[in-house]
Amino acid sequence: MNMSYQIGDMQFSLTADKIHPVTGGMVISGANVTLQLPFQPKRYYRHGWQSWSPTGWIDVDRPFAPLHPAIMRPGQVDPLYALDEKPNGSWLGAVEAPDGDVILLGALGLESHVALDDQTLHGWYEQGSGEWFVANDPEQIVFAQYATLLGERLGEKRASTAASGLHSTPPRVWCSWYSLYTAISEERLLRILNDLGPFDGAPWPDRQDRQGLPFDVFQIDDGWQKGIGDWEANEKFPSGMDSLAARIHATHRTAGLWLAPLLIVPSSGIYRQQPDWLLHDEKGKLVSAGFNWGEPLYALDTTHPAGLEWLAALMKKVRAWGYDYIKLDFLYAGALPGVRHNGMSREAAYRHGLKVIRETLGEAYFLTCGAPILPSLGLCDGMRLGPDVAAYWDSNRDSRLLNNLAAPGVQNSLRTTLHRLWLRPLVHVDPDVVYFRARENNLSPEQKQILQYLVEITGFKATSDLPAWLTPEERAALADFLKAKPPVKQTGRYTFEIGGRRVDFSSAMPLPQPLDSLEKIHSSLLCWLANMPRVLKVFDRFSRWMLARSLRES
Ligand code: 9PG
């Protein structure tokens, strides 16, 4: 059907199978839909596939060059579109109209994509057909209405069901990653637990601390396990993970644990013993899920019955150890393009796996990370919506020379999370940790502050600061921050009123400037080097060694 339509106060030409008006716009259906704009758009809202994928408003006439190194792409963006420089994005896309309103084309189903071609917004489903929402209104209204429709179809965050109240309010989490990285041990974590101080046993969120730092959750991140796929305590955790959970419970805190259950690496037992559980392509080759920990990453086929049973048993096991807050990471692996055991399409297969996880986790708080956004909605309690922060603003070498907007750093993280705040009604938004420490930190006080402001907006308050690294003033400021619940009002795309203060995030939003010719030479050398598994492996060893050394000294 090709028709001319009035949406808001503008006339569009639309191609779709079915069209019906809804509050704030219209829902159209079709495998392929187009929306002809009556003007030449200058800015496009690009939505990244998974937690870490670059998201935000971009200039239409500036090509969005592929990020580097290529070997990392499957772990950072949707590999199907990694080389597409035209404005495009996962599930939805939007443009600014000349009057300042925003025109959105947003899928209401999975495996869908939007691109802008000159004056045409084009949306398609990878398989079959589905619905789309089309609207033309002020930005916040358009995105709020889209979120409502997504919630009706995919589900919203859970109301509090657990006695602990664990799901109603975003949690306050001490997470081990952004200070100790993989250099964690039972001994170190117990010391930190002790240093956090006493806490009362009142149900979350009514807890008031007794001098201690009021964290609801003590979350153990990467570094406890024997290997990726080998989810047992390693030699640094001699008493076992169940004993550590009990020690955490003794401080009246919820015990949290990190796992990456959909990743399989060559050094794991599963890789050798269950090769048929792995995701393959049409040619029978393993599908790459990127590269990390000095190894190539592969994916579990979540439609393989035995693989799925293993996954469920793993979730049961960590629950039985006493962990009630589960951070599952690198989840995109389950939704990569490939040929699956039962022929299911990729995001449906992922959601199938996630449902099993959700059911097995029962009442536990489920945080998804590195997760494809729409296919995770309704099945998790919290979701990371940006790349990792780090104790620096941006790293010239990583994010600019490699043109990598998914690389760790506060600027990349702020930019992507801020552009996804419209998802707040559907899920607790994890913007990653804040920093209060001056020690082991290159962030300026202003940079730390702006990150704290973002966290005040989402309410999901986490840090990795070691109590021993904090001055008494920093510790007091962190405690106040954890207790505060300031009223938040959005006043513009990048402006908010937080507890009566006007906060403007605009200065953190710009994309890096294009490289000059000397930088281009540096960049090609770096891209070439960073794409070699052997170099990455040496780099991984070196960074672990550096970390161990700096922690010994501190
Ligand atoms: C643990 C970390 C933390 C962190 C997660 C995730 O592309 N990469 O190689 C890549 C590595 C690590 C990473 C993201 C991307 O961080 O976001 O909070 O849990 O894993 O390894």
Side-chain angles (χ1 to χ4, degrees):
M1 208 166 25
N2 196 339
M3 294 190 87
S4 184
Y5 258 88
Q6 178 91 17
I7 311 174
D9 54 3
M10 217 179 270
Q11 199 77 17
F12 295 86
S13 141
L14 252 178
T15 323
D17 299 343
K18 259 201 253 151
I19 298 172
H20 71 95
V22 291
T23 317
M26 52 181 66
V27 169
I28 63 176
S29 341
N32 255 292
V33 297
T34 61
L35 181 64
Q36 190 77 38
L37 307 167
F39 60 92
Q40 185 74 51
K42 294 196 174 66
R43 307 265 293 159
Y44 177 81
Y45 176 86
R46 176 189 204 282
H47 189 266
W49 187 48
Q50 49 114 324
S51 307
W52 309 321
S53 313
T55 297
W57 286 96
I58 56 169
D59 288 336
V60 166
D61 51 16
R62 189 170 152 190
F64 198 86
L67 43 79
H68 287 279
I71 196 172
M72 304 286 273
R73 279 179 206 144
Q76 300 189 313
V77 292
D78 185 342
L80 271 190
Y81 305 98
L83 302 178
D84 199 339
E85 302 199 5
K86 280 212 305 266
N88 77 93
S90 301
W91 310 291
L92 63 139
V95 293
E96 284 172 359
D99 63 0
D101 280 357
V102 160
I103 292 141
L104 170 94
L105 174 63
L108 299 174
L110 306 182
E111 285 137 14
S112 41
H113 207 81
V114 171
L116 175 71
D117 197 358
D118 199 27
Q119 281 186 224
T120 307
L121 268 175
H122 179 196
W124 64 93
Y125 277 88
E126 282 170 33
Q127 295 205 350
S129 180
E131 290 181 313
W132 305 84
F133 176 58
V134 186
N136 169 29
D137 259 317
E139 183 167 356
Q140 286 173 50
I141 294 176
V142 165
F143 278 96
Q145 192 52 31
Y146 180 47
T148 303
L149 295 174
L150 284 178
E152 286 168 12
R153 280 150 183 89
L154 296 167
E156 292 185 26
K157 61 185 169 224
R158 291 188 295 166
S160 168
T161 46
S164 63
L166 210 64
H167 313 296
S168 53
T169 324
R172 298 170 298 182
V173 184
W174 191 88
C175 159
S176 61
W177 183 248
Y178 302 86
S179 52
L180 298 173
Y181 295 95
T182 51
I184 51 174
S185 67
E186 181 179 306
E187 194 198 337
R188 258 198 185 123
L189 293 181
L190 286 176
R191 200 177 324 135
I192 293 163
L193 198 56
N194 181 59
D195 292 350
L196 291 178
F199 197 58
D200 71 15
W204 185 9
D206 307 316
R207 291 170 165 174
Q208 294 301 326
D209 70 304
R210 295 176 285 126
Q211 302 110 46
L213 285 168
F215 289 107
D216 306 296
V217 182
F218 185 86
Q219 186 242 311
I220 305 164
D221 215 281
D222 186 4
W224 63 272
Q225 72 283 0
K226 283 197 169 129
I228 301 300
D230 219 343
W231 303 105
E232 293 292 340
N234 62 30
E235 70 293 345
K236 296 184 294 168
F237 291 80
S239 314
M241 299 317 286
D242 49 350
S243 141
L244 191 48
R247 299 289 293 268
I248 297 168
H249 294 156
T251 73
H252 300 292
R253 291 186 172 95
T254 299
L257 194 64
W258 170 98
L259 300 98
L262 303 186
L263 282 186
I264 311 279
V265 296
S267 62
S268 69
I270 292 188
Y271 182 87
R272 292 186 298 274
Q273 289 146 23
Q274 311 291 352
D276 55 323
W277 293 7
L278 275 71
L279 183 63
H280 293 82
D281 65 14
E282 315 77 50
K283 293 186 197 129
K285 271 183 51 190
L286 286 177
V287 170
S288 167
F291 196 96
N292 198 15
W293 303 283
E295 274 190 280
L297 310 178
Y298 301 109
L300 181 79
D301 175 355
T302 55
T303 70
H304 194 292
L308 209 51
E309 252 174 57
W310 169 85
L311 192 61
L314 173 61
M315 294 301 122
K316 280 216 180 85
K317 178 172 80 178
V318 299
R319 293 284 286 124
W321 283 345
Y323 293 89
D324 297 328
Y325 174 102
I326 311 291
K327 173 179 175 184
L328 298 188
D329 205 354
F330 292 83
L331 289 178
Y332 65 86
L336 290 168
V339 181
R340 286 172 168 82
H341 184 79
N342 70 359
M344 246 190 200
S345 55
R346 60 185 183 135
E347 290 178 1
Y350 168 81
R351 208 165 157 82
H352 177 65
L354 216 65
K355 275 192 186 135
V356 169
I357 292 176
R358 171 79 274 173
E359 278 157 22
T360 335
L361 287 181
E363 284 302 314
Y365 189 96
F366 178 19
L367 175 67
T368 50
C369 188
I373 309 299
L374 257 59
S376 307
L377 290 176
L379 297 173
C380 57
D381 302 287
M383 200 188 306
R384 257 285 283 293
L385 290 185
D388 289 15
V389 296
Y392 48 80
W393 184 249
D394 62 355
S395 131
N396 275 343
R397 234 176 317 149
D398 294 358
S399 56
R400 206 164 104 85
L401 291 182
L402 294 173
N403 183 41
N404 195 325
L405 299 175
V410 170
Q411 191 186 15
N412 281 345
S413 182
L414 262 177
R415 190 194 301 109
T416 289
T417 307
L418 202 86
H419 282 103
R420 282 181 171 150
L421 289 178
W422 59 270
L423 283 154
R424 270 180 300 165
L426 303 180
V427 72
H428 289 163
V429 173
D430 171 10
D432 215 358
V433 303
V434 292
Y435 295 86
F436 276 82
R437 65 188 202 232
R439 196 161 146 185
E440 308 286 330
N441 198 342
N442 291 320
L443 292 168
S444 70
E446 295 73 32
Q447 291 167 341
K448 280 187 272 188
Q449 177 69 72
I450 194 163
L451 188 54
Q452 289 160 20
Y453 280 138
L454 176 67
V455 170
E456 303 258 36
I457 297 172
T458 80
F460 193 111
K461 297 181 174 178
T463 191
S464 294
D465 287 349
L466 300 190
W469 287 358
L470 296 172
T471 63
E473 295 72 37
E474 288 168 347
R475 185 182 170 108
L478 170 59
D480 288 347
F481 172 79
L482 292 171
K483 286 176 208 156
K485 276 198 192 123
V488 172
K489 200 175 130 216
Q490 184 157 13
T491 52
R493 179 178 288 170
Y494 301 135
T495 52
F496 291 79
E497 254 173 50
I498 304 174
R501 283 153 305 182
R502 200 188 117 84
V503 178
D504 189 345
F505 293 93
S506 311
S507 61
M509 295 303 116
L511 296 177
Q513 285 302 306
L515 304 179
D516 65 31
S517 38
L518 190 64
E519 285 173 323
K520 276 193 186 141
I521 299 172
H522 281 166
S523 156
S524 14
L525 185 70
L526 192 67
C527 293
W528 176 71
L529 275 173
N531 209 28
M532 289 196 276
R534 225 171 304 150
V535 173
L536 289 175
K537 194 173 177 157
V538 170
F539 185 73
D540 182 70
R541 290 239 176 96
F542 176 72
S543 32
R544 279 169 203 258
W545 177 81
M546 285 284 286
L547 178 70
R549 207 183 65 152
S550 81
L551 289 172
R552 249 198 324 272
E553 280 165 7
S554 68

